[in-house]
Amino acid sequence: MSAGIPAYDKNNIFARILRGEIPCKKVYEDEHALAFYDINPQAKIHVLVIPKGAYVSMADFAAKAGDQEIAGFVRAVGKTAEKLGVVESGYRLLANHGPNSHQEVPHLHVHIFGGQKLGRMIAVERQA
Ligand code: 5GP
């Protein structure tokens, strides 16, 4: 385990999707990544792109993945956006890491939001 990064849980829901144990509505797949529709969409288009390797978050991926995996994953995000037809209209990428971000699934995923006007940036919780 690296500092601040929990150990990878191989039974997290996205690991199970990668193993084919749970179905998903696939958008794009190659040797490095899988992209599929989010089960609880927060925008007209809401797709998740995940690397095929076992990484908890972007911090874990940046620290441990090989250059080819990183390049392949970034390209897969770009190809998924192309397949979704949102390049011209625009889209937003989001990747949560850790408790402050409310990351739910401990396997790196990049959200792609699009298909509508998305408003400005993020909603921040009020501090007590
Ligand atoms: P996070 O909060 O970790 O950044 O986002 C996790 C996302 O995964 C959420 O948007 C949630 O709706 C989505 N999700 C959780 N379980 C499943 C599932 O079984 N299938 C799909 N397609 N999406 C899921």
Side-chain angles (χ1 to χ4, degrees):
M1 183 198 312
S2 310
I5 301 172
Y8 185 79
D9 167 14
K10 62 182 182 12
N11 286 319
N12 76 75
I13 201 97
F14 294 168
R16 298 186 65 201
I17 285 176
L18 280 171
R19 290 198 294 269
E21 294 168 10
I22 292 176
C24 70
K25 200 173 157 205
K26 194 193 296 186
V27 176
Y28 175 80
E29 183 171 17
D30 63 23
E31 62 178 308
H32 295 290
L34 173 68
F36 52 91
Y37 285 95
D38 196 290
I39 205 168
N40 182 23
Q42 304 296 309
K44 227 174 207 173
I45 294 173
H46 183 176
V47 164
L48 303 168
V49 190
I50 66 176
K52 291 199 166 168
Y55 302 102
V56 173
S57 64
M58 191 62 84
D60 195 23
F61 191 58
K64 296 189 201 140
D67 291 354
Q68 283 197 342
E69 277 178 291
I70 292 173
F73 180 65
V74 173
R75 290 218 165 83
V77 172
K79 284 178 184 165
T80 302
E82 263 176 46
K83 262 198 127 171
L84 291 167
V86 294
V87 173
E88 197 179 328
S89 55
Y91 60 93
R92 180 169 294 154
L93 302 180
L94 183 148
N96 289 318
H97 166 83
N100 268 356
S101 74
H102 292 280
Q103 181 182 8
E104 275 173 29
V105 181
H107 181 113
L108 169 60
H109 47 284
V110 169
H111 298 254
I112 300 180
F113 300 103
Q116 63 176 91
K117 298 273 188 203
L118 294 166
R120 287 187 63 77
M121 302 298 275
I122 59 167
V124 177
E125 286 178 10
R126 283 178 194 279
Q127 302 294 312

